[in-house]
Structure formats: structure tokens, C-alpha cells
Amino acid sequence: MGLDDRQALETLQRAVDPEQGSAPLIRDFYTQWFATDLSARDLFPPDMDSQRDVFARALTWLFGELIAQRAEEPVAFLAQLGRDHRKYGVTQSHYDSMQEALYNALHRHLEPEWDERLAEATHDAVALVIGVMRGAADAEDSPAYCDGTVIEHHRVTRDVSVIRLQLDQALFYHPGQYVTVQVPQWPRRWRYLSPAVPSDRSGGIEFHIRSVPGGMVSTAIVAETKIGDRWRMSSPHGGLHVDRDGEDVLMVAGSTGLAPLRNIIMDMTLHGENPRVHLFFGGRYPCDLYDLKTLWHIASTNPWLSVTPVSEYSTDPPWAGQYPDVQPPRGLHVRQTGTLAEVVTRYGNWGDRQILICGGPDMVTATKAALVERGAPAERIQHDPLTR
């Protein structure tokens, strides 16, 4: 029965699910893969904890989709994964050794339940994963990545930097998408960042990065990036968007979650007619609202855009004076105090809007829950994956 055997697929899903103790199996897979293919180890960072967790969760989702007999989205996901993995230097031989190691790891850890049906389902599922990734990578003829040089670094708050680069060649992405980025301070540790400006044919690109407590890469970017540093980036992802022929729009941005929304807004300014957009831009302190002047300039010439600044505290901490003044210019809405979830829902449930939320996972989760509780349809709310 292979991929039609739901019972066997459920067994495989339980085996790889990190919530059900899949860590030994996933560790065994990587150990065997690296032992049989020494070059595969060089594709990954020294610390494998995050990689193993991401892989386990991806497999769990994939088996769930196969159990539900939904093939279109998993195939598209695997194809994108294959194209994206070219930036690591993955070769066809790596796919061969990975396929063998994954099948053997599943076999060993499911030995007490192993029978012909489970063997067939395991073989077909692993073949699907590897085959789609391999085929998509082999068929792609665009460059696996592009490099760029840091030309500006502005420390706009204590923990936020605006960094501009000149790419060696243009990188094309849709407004609202994010790209994978590698910085020289942490080779092989790729991170997702959202461009804050639309794709530029001349190769200019801008990122807004917030230093996350405990985040090695984000902290290094904010504290250590220098003019002349060489960054590498690849493969846009994500489907955040505004339907310009649809309803009016609510945007909610927490800190550097502003970047993809500002990108969409800047792209909208290129068109004569747009739906109305109300953007709530929030931070912990008033000084965290680092890009109000840019938003004011956009709103002053585009009457369809309204901007409401939001901060959890009404006054700035002492260290705020070390960074540029971000007080809202005349013409923006008066700054509101409270969390974004609280302030946004004071205005109603926004159920008749296209809703886009960007920022930290806690903010996105809280704001989405508050809107849904007030009556906004969940299917109208867009946000990027919370564990991207």
C-alpha cells in the first residue's frame, strides 16, 4: 500500500514527532549519515540541536499531510527545500547517503513493529522526500545564492540595527517575503531575514535586525557588523501579501517585524490606487519605534496609509538618549500605550480587513488570539511561520 497505508504513516509520524520522544531516532539518523558520508558533516554548524529539532518537526508535519492525503503542499515544500539546500553545497551523492541513513534509522527504531507494510511505507516516504528534493535541486538553473557587501550599518536603538548591502547581482523576491542569510561572524548558521525594501534591480537591499537575548547570530549582527563585511543570501520564502483589489488592510508590526510590512507598503506606493492601510507599529519603549520618520514620509504623500505608534511603556529608559530621537513627527496618530494586542483591539475586531501580523512569536500569537476572540475570522489573518 505504501503511501496509501495510513496506519503505517501514523506509525512513522509518531516515531519522528519530537513531542513523542523522537530525539534518539533523529540523532541516530544524523550520526549514521555523517559516519557514512564525512562530507555531509561539513554542511552543518557544530551545534546540531536546532537542526535536529527543525528536521524532526518538518518530518512530523510531512507525515501528517500524507496521512490526510494532501500531496500538493508537501511536494511544493520539499521542492523548495531542495532548491534552497543548494546554498549549503548539497550534491547528488549527499542525497544518496541521506536516503540510506534515514531509512536505516527508521528501521532500527521501529524494529519491534517492523513488517512488510511498514517497510513499504517507509521506503516510499523516504524516496518521496529525497526524490522531490533531489529533482527540484537538479532542475533549478538559477544561482544557488548571491553575495553582497555591507555598505551601511546604523545602530538605531540599543538592540536594533538597520543594515544596507550592495549585492553582486540582483536578488528577486516578492514584497513581504524573507530570505536566508549567512554572515561572516557565524559561517553555516543561516538565518531568515525580511528585506525592508522592494527587490532592487541594481542589487540594493536593506535589513532590520533585532538582537534577541540568547541569539548568537542576531547579537553578532547588531554588535559586530562592519562596513565591507560580505554576506551571503538565498531563496526567498513566505507568502505574506496584500490583495490590492481586496478589502482594506490592518497591519500590526512589533519591532523589526516592521520590515516586511514596510516592504509591502513601499511597493504599494508604486500604484495609483490601493486599499486603505492602518499600520500599528509597536515596541516596548517609545524609543524602540525606530522607523517612525520613514513611515511619516510615506504616509504624508499616500493618504491611504495611517500609522499608529504603540509602546508598552509611556516613557523612555535612561539609555534612550544614546540613540536617534524617534518621537513621531506631526501628522501621525498620537502614540498609544499598551501591548499591540490591547491597543489594536480597542479599535474593534477588524473582521472586515485583510490582516497581516509580523514580529516576535509571542506578540503574533497574542495579537492573533485577541483579534479572533473579538470576532476577526482566523482565515483572514496572515503571518509568517512562528518557528521559521
Side-chain angles (χ1 to χ4, degrees):
M1 295 177 66
L3 296 180
D4 293 324
D5 190 336
R6 295 191 180 186
Q7 184 176 355
L9 291 174
E10 288 170 356
T11 300
L12 292 171
Q13 185 186 44
R14 287 194 300 272
V16 300
D17 187 349
E19 304 301 327
Q20 301 197 42
S22 68
L25 187 157
I26 301 300
R27 189 179 297 109
D28 183 31
F29 155 64
Y30 279 107
T31 299
Q32 180 178 347
W33 187 20
F34 296 160
T36 57
D37 188 345
L38 297 179
S39 65
R41 183 64 185 92
D42 294 333
L43 304 175
F44 298 94
D47 179 9
M48 288 291 295
D49 289 345
S50 177
Q51 172 66 30
R52 285 192 289 261
D53 183 67
V54 168
F55 183 66
R57 293 184 186 280
L59 285 179
T60 303
W61 172 82
L62 178 66
F63 283 126
E65 293 295 292
L66 295 177
I67 291 166
Q69 299 294 294
R70 293 191 293 261
E72 183 176 349
E73 192 169 347
V75 168
F77 168 77
L78 290 168
Q80 178 60 47
L81 207 59
R83 290 188 291 268
D84 191 39
H85 274 54
R86 295 178 304 139
K87 67 176 182 284
Y88 299 114
V90 175
T91 66
Q92 294 297 316
S93 64
H94 290 135
Y95 284 117
D96 291 334
S97 57
M98 178 183 179
Q99 182 168 351
E100 181 179 0
L102 182 56
Y103 180 88
N104 289 339
L106 288 166
H107 186 180
R108 276 195 301 277
H109 285 263
L110 291 171
E111 184 67 42
E113 305 170 69
W114 200 256
D115 56 23
E116 288 187 9
R117 291 176 57 187
L118 187 54
E120 183 180 0
T122 303
H123 173 273
D124 290 355
V126 172
L128 174 69
V129 171
I130 304 303
V132 173
M133 290 178 63
R134 183 205 302 266
D138 190 46
E140 186 63 40
D141 57 6
S142 64
Y145 52 79
C146 66
D147 295 332
T149 302
V150 174
I151 57 174
E152 295 182 49
H153 178 190
H154 303 282
R155 189 77 173 265
V156 292
T157 78
R158 185 170 65 168
D159 58 0
V160 172
S161 286
V162 172
I163 296 175
R164 300 188 179 106
L165 298 98
Q166 180 62 46
L167 303 180
D168 297 345
Q169 58 191 29
L171 177 65
F172 295 102
Y173 49 84
H174 296 295
Q177 287 192 301
Y178 50 92
V179 298
T180 51
V181 176
Q182 178 184 246
V183 299
Q185 290 82 4
W186 285 101
R188 292 184 291 164
R189 290 185 183 273
W190 293 80
R191 290 295 183 267
Y192 293 113
L193 297 178
S194 296
V197 294
S199 183
D200 179 11
R201 292 184 180 274
S202 68
I205 196 167
E206 174 180 310
F207 295 106
H208 300 175
I209 302 98
R210 183 170 68 91
S211 176
V212 179
M216 295 179 292
V217 177
S218 64
T219 300
I221 291 175
V222 171
E224 302 174 18
T225 297
K226 303 183 297 296
I227 305 301
D229 280 356
R230 296 282 288 172
W231 287 20
R232 176 164 290 178
M233 57 203 69
S234 172
S235 296
H237 301 262
L240 207 64
H241 70 284
V242 164
D243 178 1
R244 292 185 46 256
D245 296 321
E247 299 89 347
D248 290 339
V249 183
L250 166 67
M251 294 184 176
V252 184
S255 186
T256 53
L258 175 67
L261 300 184
R262 196 187 81 161
N263 190 340
I264 293 173
I265 289 169
M266 292 178 73
D267 181 71
M268 293 174 70
T269 65
L270 303 177
H271 302 274
E273 295 185 7
N274 288 296
R276 291 181 302 162
V277 175
H278 197 131
L279 168 66
F280 289 84
F281 175 36
R284 190 175 188 188
Y285 300 106
C287 64
D288 289 325
L289 306 178
Y290 62 92
D291 211 29
L292 284 182
K293 287 184 171 61
T294 301
L295 297 175
W296 175 79
H297 284 298
I298 298 174
S300 66
T301 55
N302 294 277
W304 45 265
L305 175 63
S306 299
V307 179
T308 297
V310 180
S311 63
E312 295 183 32
Y313 296 92
S314 59
T315 58
D316 282 329
W319 50 259
Q322 303 172 29
Y323 298 95
D325 177 22
V326 296
Q327 291 302 309
R330 290 175 61 86
L332 286 184
H333 287 278
V334 175
R335 180 176 50 79
Q336 303 290 305
T337 303
T339 67
L340 281 164
E342 293 166 347
V343 172
V344 169
T345 52
R346 287 176 197 164
Y347 290 74
N349 68 12
W350 304 90
D352 59 344
R353 305 293 181 102
Q354 303 177 64
I355 302 174
L356 288 72
I357 310 175
C358 290
D362 291 343
M363 184 282 288
V364 172
T365 300
T367 303
K368 180 178 181 178
L371 286 165
V372 170
E373 185 177 355
R374 289 294 302 271
E379 61 271 17
R380 285 181 174 265
I381 301 175
Q382 301 179 49
H383 57 81
D384 285 328
L386 300 180
T387 57
R388 69 183 195 190

